[in-house]
Every structure is written in C-alpha cells, then in structure tokens.
C-alpha cells in the first residue's frame, strides 16, 4: 500500500476510538443513584450528570494524548475556536441519551468520531449496557461487534420502517399527505443511526437542528453501510463547522433517500 494512502491512519483512529469507547463505558456504568448529581444546562434545560463530565474528561485524556495534534469538539467541553485550524478533530458525545442514562435504561451510547477536513474518517458508537460496539473507517466498511453492516434495500417510504420523533410526520414538512408510516423511536440519536446502518430500520429522520456530536459517528457508519446521509435540505454533511449544527438529518439507502427528499417541503 502506498505511503501516501491515508487508510492506515483511518484504521488506527478507528481502533483508538473503539478502545476509548469501551473505557468510557466502564466509567459511565460506575455511576448510580445520587452519584449522578443531575443538573440542568442553562442554555436549553437539558440534563447533565457527573458521569457525562467524568466520561468527557477521560475521553479527552485518552484521545488527545494519543493524537495531540487533533482538535477537540465535545458536547461537554467549552468550545475552542482552535479546533477550526486543525486538519483533524475529535467529535465526541460523552453520553448520547443522557435522559435514558438517568432513567437506568440501556439505549444510551458513547459517540466518538474523527473528522478530517470536514469528512468523518473514523467512528465508534458503544452501548455499554448492551455491549454493542459499532465502528467504521473511511473506505473500510462498518461493523457491529465485528459483523459487517449493510442498510436495507427498501425503495419507497410507503414500505419503510422509520426511526423518527413524532413531529416528523406532521403535515407541514411534506408536499402531499403521507402514507401510514411505521414509525419507531430511540432516545439516542447515535443509536438510531446505528440501527439503520445495520438494517433493522430503513431510514432515520429528524428535522430539528442537530449538533455534530450527535451525528458525526453515525454518519460514517451509514455511509460505509451503503446509505446516503444529508441534512433536511438534501445537502451533504460537513463537520467541524464554526457553528457545529445542521438543519436535521435524512439517512437511508440512496433509493429511499431520494423518495423521501421528493416528498419533503424544503422551504420551512
């Protein structure tokens, strides 16, 4: 393999993210009851726990000690504009689905990714309570616990089973009345993306503004599993933006993605 080929670096980053995700799981599972110290963020009222902060600190230590030249973007860290100048950046959600975590459920996840010049090149999503480890490297496929992932081939929304919050099916978003949609939901956005990548659901839709740390890892999983992933307007997702947020996500195999986009009202 030529020395200029970046693939070995992507594979090494994936292995690093996998190790870090498992370490994060050990920390998160050690927090119970009053030790969670649940607080609420002034900006949006979302919960944060002592576990979120402990996981964030450990991930930053592990990842940045391994790759000190990489930038850092995390839900639980104060944003630093220096990340914008970095060629590669870690994009991390220490605990995606914090409300689920607080409730003692098992569908919360650690979501870790590396972006290079706006493109996700390595990813890991780990659900510690289910021991599910999704991971991917650019051009090298996506796996769940070592088993390769592929999306479904369902071609139309009429036949699809979709992961989406209830407001997504409201009429203002669509040009014409929708067929009855088989809809389900999971608290963790990262897990929703993983479920579509492994073919358990046909598509994932969210139309609310969406933070990069929620979708960075899942975007690569899906792309490597054969999906097309865009924002609600059909535009490709680019990461490490100045304001790291996108106007929703539409993720499905290319035929189903095209069918969904053809039905959406874009000018909202």
């Amino acid at each position: 393999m030529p020395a200029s080929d970046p693939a070995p670096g992507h594979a090494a980053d994936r292995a690093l993210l996998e190790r870090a995700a498992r370490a994060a799981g050990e920390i998160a599972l050690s927090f119970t009851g009053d030790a969670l110290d649940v607080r609420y963020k002034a900006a949006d009222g979302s919960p944060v726990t002592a576990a979120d902060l402990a996981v964030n600190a450990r991930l930053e230590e592990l990842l940045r000690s391994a790759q000190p030249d990489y930038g850092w973007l995390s839900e639980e860290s104060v944003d630093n504009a220096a990340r914008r100048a970095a060629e590669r950046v870690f994009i991390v959600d220490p605990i995606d689905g914090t409300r689920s975590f607080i409730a003692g459920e098992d569908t919360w996840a650690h979501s870790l990714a590396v972006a290079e010049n706006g493109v996700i090149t390595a990813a890991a999503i780990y659900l510690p309570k289910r021991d599910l480890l999704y991971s991917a490297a650019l051009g090298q496929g996506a796996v769940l616990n070592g088993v390769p992932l592929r999306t479904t081939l369902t071609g139309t929304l009429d036949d699809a089973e979709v992961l989406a919050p209830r407001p997504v099916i409201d009429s203002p978003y669509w040009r014409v009345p929708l067929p009855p949609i088989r809809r389900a939901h999971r608290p963790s956005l990262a897990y929703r993306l993983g479920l579509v990548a492994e073919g358990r659901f046909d598509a994932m839709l969210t139309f609310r503004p969406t933070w990069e740390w929620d979708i960075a890892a899942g975007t690569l999983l899906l792309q490597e599993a054969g999906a097309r992933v865009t924002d609600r307007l059909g535009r490709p997702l680019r990461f490490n933006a100045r304001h790291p947020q996108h106007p929703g996500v539409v993720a499905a195999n290319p035929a189903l993605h095209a069918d969904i986009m053809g039905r959406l009202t874009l000018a909202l």
Side-chain angles (χ1 to χ4, degrees), residues 12-260:
D13 280 347
R14 171 164 67 177
L16 171 63
L17 296 181
E18 289 174 339
R19 293 193 300 272
R22 289 194 179 278
E26 293 178 5
I27 293 172
L29 292 174
S30 71
F31 282 82
T32 57
D34 291 342
L36 291 179
D37 188 23
V38 180
R39 303 179 187 181
Y40 295 88
K41 299 177 184 178
D44 60 7
S46 63
V48 62
T49 72
D52 292 87
L53 301 179
V55 168
N56 188 62
R58 182 58 175 150
L59 286 175
E60 184 168 13
E61 177 186 28
L62 286 172
L63 296 175
R64 301 199 77 183
S65 63
Q67 296 288 6
D69 294 334
Y70 288 20
W72 180 258
L73 175 63
S74 168
E75 181 178 10
E76 306 305 343
S77 297
V78 176
D79 197 5
N80 186 333
R83 67 176 169 80
R84 295 273 296 150
E87 182 179 358
R88 299 178 183 86
V89 59
F90 292 113
I91 303 178
V92 171
D93 192 342
I95 298 180
D96 183 42
T98 297
R99 287 186 174 87
S100 175
F101 173 74
I102 293 168
E105 298 167 353
D106 62 2
T107 55
W108 50 274
H110 308 295
S111 181
L112 291 68
V114 172
E116 181 176 338
N117 298 319
V119 175
I120 304 302
T121 56
I125 296 171
Y126 183 48
L127 282 73
K129 282 198 166 184
R130 295 190 171 197
D131 194 27
L132 299 177
L133 179 61
Y134 299 88
S135 69
L138 183 64
Q140 299 175 53
V143 298
L144 169 58
N145 291 352
V147 178
L149 301 181
R150 295 302 296 175
T151 61
T152 70
L153 299 177
T154 302
T156 70
L157 196 54
D158 305 68
D159 301 321
E161 190 167 5
V162 175
L163 280 166
R166 188 174 299 277
V168 159
I169 64 174
D170 290 347
S171 59
Y173 293 112
W174 304 93
R175 297 178 188 275
V176 295
L178 287 178
I181 292 180
R182 291 178 292 159
R183 186 192 66 85
H185 187 61
R186 299 291 187 276
S188 165
L189 214 167
Y191 184 37
R192 285 179 246 165
L193 296 171
L195 287 168
V196 176
E198 66 172 296
R200 289 178 57 189
F201 291 86
D202 300 299
M204 196 291 294
L205 309 176
T206 183
F207 298 154
R208 296 178 60 185
T210 307
W211 294 105
E212 288 190 6
W213 45 74
D214 290 320
I215 60 173
T219 292
L220 183 62
L221 287 177
L222 280 157
Q223 291 170 338
E224 290 294 317
R228 185 173 181 211
V229 189
T230 67
D231 68 17
R232 188 181 64 78
L233 303 176
R235 299 175 302 196
L237 300 176
R238 300 285 296 181
F239 292 88
N240 196 27
R242 180 173 287 101
H243 180 64
Q245 198 174 49
H246 298 278
V249 177
V250 177
N253 71 66
L256 179 55
H257 186 282
D259 183 59
I260 292 168

